[in-house]
Amino acid sequence: MSRWGTPVCVAATVLALVLGLAAADAARAQSPGRVVYVAAVEMKGGTQQDKEPYPTGPLPAGGGYVKAPPNAAGRWEVSVYQWSPATIVVQQGETVTLEIVGINGDVHPSMIPGLAESFVVKRGELTRVTFTARAPGLYPLICTKHQPSMQGTVVVLPK
């Protein structure tokens, strides 16, 4: 290689990296915001009554917790509806789209007061909820049908 070959190659490589990073930044600036993937799920467990006695104490009222007494074969089950993840962290000023898929439960009438006033998540369907996180704070993500357990939190961090 000539005396200028190596410095020119290094300079060309650095220039290519800088231009590539600038293009990536420009693409991010033009994107519609961040996407967060969420699922409406039902955690479920059960056992046989001869292995573990059926608990007689009540669970909190509302559709969020379900306890089925032993069936004819002696099996009992308990389940709880939840958002997964239950905590979503975003930055103030960020535009966010929640892509929520209903996994369990036929329908989840929902809201995020102060960010998204009303939306419905259905089993087997994708629901998109887009908002701009204008003010820092904690915003509850609530399914009004499955209270008190199906609550999450959108955390908006200040700039």
Side-chain angles (χ1 to χ4, degrees):
M1 224 181 228
S2 74
R3 172 176 132 167
W4 297 104
T6 302
V8 169
C9 285
V10 170
T13 303
V14 169
L15 180 61
L17 286 172
V18 168
L19 291 175
L21 291 174
D25 285 343
R28 272 194 298 276
Q30 292 173 6
S31 71
R34 187 160 63 104
V35 176
V36 177
Y37 303 96
V38 181
V41 298
E42 176 186 21
M43 305 299 283
K44 196 171 219 173
T47 190
Q48 293 297 122
Q49 189 171 8
D50 60 349
K51 293 181 182 173
E52 188 175 331
Y54 179 72
T56 57
L59 292 174
Y65 296 101
V66 179
K67 185 167 60 171
N71 62 19
R75 180 166 177 81
W76 60 270
E77 293 186 347
V78 62
S79 59
V80 60
Y81 287 93
Q82 298 177 327
W83 298 110
S84 179
T87 303
I88 299 163
V89 179
V90 302
Q91 293 288 325
Q92 180 181 5
E94 188 171 30
T95 298
V96 178
T97 299
L98 303 180
E99 288 199 352
I100 307 171
V101 173
I103 306 297
N104 301 102
D106 58 341
V107 65
H108 302 280
S110 304
M111 66 177 124
I112 308 170
L115 295 176
E117 293 309 317
S118 178
F119 57 93
V120 176
V121 176
K122 295 180 180 178
R123 180 183 9 246
E125 294 183 14
L126 174 67
T127 301
R128 285 186 178 91
V129 180
T130 301
F131 58 87
T132 299
R134 300 202 190 291
L138 301 175
Y139 297 84
L141 168 56
I142 302 166
C143 169
T144 58
K145 181 178 178 181
H146 297 108
Q147 287 298 302
S149 64
M150 198 166 182
Q151 293 189 48
T153 305
V154 177
V155 179
V156 179
L157 300 174
K159 280 186 176 179

